[in-house]
Amino acid sequence: MNTKQLNELFYAKRELVGTVDHCLCEDCIFYAEQIMKNNTLVEFLHTKGLDPRKANEVWCYMEKDGYKHYTIDFFEVYADKEETHTFGNAKITFFVNIYAEKEQLPYVCTIDAVFKM
């Protein structure tokens, strides 16, 4: 299996952010709606076998000047290398998880995104 297939399998049963099975807070619902508007980011994540709505953690850490600032984490992912890309309002980074135990996947993925309120 390649890394895309491994991520798809690993995240297949994850609940969608902004749903009753994950979290129905206003910030999660807003994120789930807004992130899907960044088509380039969504397409890139799909090439990696990831869905931006299946993140482990979504955190709106600041609201300022009509914008919401988010950090979105996938705690365990399969990746071939460390990499960083920017797609409009979002920056995505795959990096080695120095805290990963042997049974954990060796990479994490973080998205930093800003959305107009």
Side-chain angles (χ1 to χ4, degrees):
M1 276 194 209
N2 63 30
T3 54
K4 177 182 188 251
Q5 293 165 324
L6 291 168
N7 282 325
E8 287 172 340
L9 185 62
F10 186 76
Y11 280 93
K13 294 184 179 169
R14 277 293 148 91
E15 304 300 339
L16 294 174
V17 172
T19 65
V20 70
D21 295 321
H22 185 273
C23 178
L24 282 175
C25 77
E26 178 183 313
D27 288 335
C28 283
I29 292 170
F30 184 78
Y31 162 78
E33 293 170 353
Q34 296 301 310
I35 198 66
M36 297 308 289
K37 294 177 182 178
N38 187 331
N39 295 328
T40 310
L41 172 68
V42 172
E43 289 173 15
F44 174 77
L45 284 171
H46 286 168
T47 69
K48 302 291 187 180
L50 299 171
D51 182 327
R53 298 165 302 162
K54 290 190 173 186
N56 294 94
E57 184 170 276
V58 172
W59 179 47
C60 179
Y61 63 89
M62 180 172 56
E63 292 183 18
K64 185 177 180 183
D65 299 328
Y67 291 89
K68 287 188 170 206
H69 298 254
Y70 281 81
T71 295
I72 301 95
D73 292 309
F74 292 82
F75 297 141
E76 297 179 88
V77 296
Y78 291 95
D80 298 317
K81 63 181 180 179
E82 293 188 324
E83 57 185 302
T84 299
H85 304 280
T86 301
F87 301 101
N89 65 328
K91 178 181 176 184
I92 183 169
T93 306
F94 290 86
F95 55 96
V96 172
N97 180 358
I98 61 171
Y99 301 107
E101 305 274 335
K102 286 184 179 181
E103 64 276 357
Q104 291 177 303
L105 306 186
Y107 286 87
V108 297
C109 172
T110 297
I111 303 170
D112 293 302
V114 179
F115 303 109
K116 186 161 180 65
M117 296 180 350

